[in-house]
Amino acid sequence: MKPRKTTHMQTAKIVFTCLFLGMALSSCLDNSTDSKPIIEPSGSADYYINNQTSIALNLIYRISGNSADSSKTIPKESSTKFFRDGIFGANPSPSRSLDKIVFYKGSSNSSELILTIKPIKDDQWNITEEKGFEESEYGFRKYELTITTEDLQ
């Protein structure tokens, strides 16, 4: 069998293909020496209820801009996380994140309304933790609302 001769046209196609692939692959490399991570300006927050009463509380809450209610049982004498929020371009706060909070006493079958908080006011909440604000105006906060026996009367 005789070896096939390569024509100038075939050689040109091979060279062009190799050059094109080389340029395409090299464009994927990051050649900058001062690459910085892209950081989206956003904040986040966790919300806790500190139940300092002697009874478990059934919590019903509505997230701002949402028509559905969510629920969580808050055990007696405990602090329980019930919601996490994140916002691009702002830091969440209780008044921005939550529309209303309602507390019930008893089982879900026979609940008794004992406290409604609407409107939500930021000054009713304690900030128990902050992270990330050292380098940016955005970061993470942990908010806690304390409920005592006196609040339920």
Side-chain angles (χ1 to χ4, degrees):
M1 198 175 234
K2 272 183 158 181
R4 291 178 52 185
K5 282 189 170 185
T6 306
T7 65
H8 291 294
M9 188 60 141
Q10 289 173 328
T11 304
K13 283 182 183 178
I14 292 171
V15 169
F16 178 74
T17 302
C18 289
L19 285 173
F20 178 75
L21 284 173
M23 288 188 315
L25 292 174
S26 68
S27 68
C28 295
L29 299 175
D30 181 10
N31 295 326
S32 65
T33 57
D34 61 338
S35 61
K36 295 179 184 174
I38 298 172
I39 299 173
E40 293 289 335
S42 64
S44 63
D46 285 346
Y47 296 95
Y48 286 75
I49 298 294
N50 184 348
N51 180 3
Q52 294 184 356
T53 71
S54 60
I55 60 170
L57 300 173
N58 291 314
L59 167 70
I60 306 291
Y61 60 98
R62 182 168 295 162
I63 301 165
S64 294
N66 194 336
S67 61
D69 290 336
S70 299
S71 64
K72 180 85 174 179
T73 298
I74 311 297
K76 65 181 181 176
E77 300 170 353
S78 70
S79 183
T80 304
K81 180 173 124 179
F82 70 95
F83 180 60
R84 171 174 279 177
D85 196 9
I87 302 174
F88 285 104
N91 287 306
S93 66
S95 63
R96 279 183 152 170
S97 298
L98 302 165
D99 185 46
K100 74 175 179 177
I101 300 175
V102 180
F103 293 94
Y104 291 89
K105 176 174 74 171
S107 68
S108 57
N109 296 336
S110 61
S111 295
E112 174 187 340
L113 175 65
I114 53 177
L115 178 64
T116 300
I117 301 174
K118 183 175 178 158
I120 306 296
K121 296 181 182 174
D122 293 339
D123 61 357
Q124 296 172 322
W125 298 73
N126 295 316
I127 298 173
T128 60
E129 183 180 340
E130 285 187 320
K131 294 179 185 174
F133 291 98
E134 303 82 20
E135 299 174 7
S136 171
E137 63 183 282
Y138 304 104
F140 168 80
R141 285 192 176 116
K142 187 186 287 186
Y143 290 97
E144 184 175 69
L145 177 66
T146 301
I147 302 296
T148 64
T149 304
E150 291 79 33
D151 294 322
L152 305 180
Q153 298 179 23

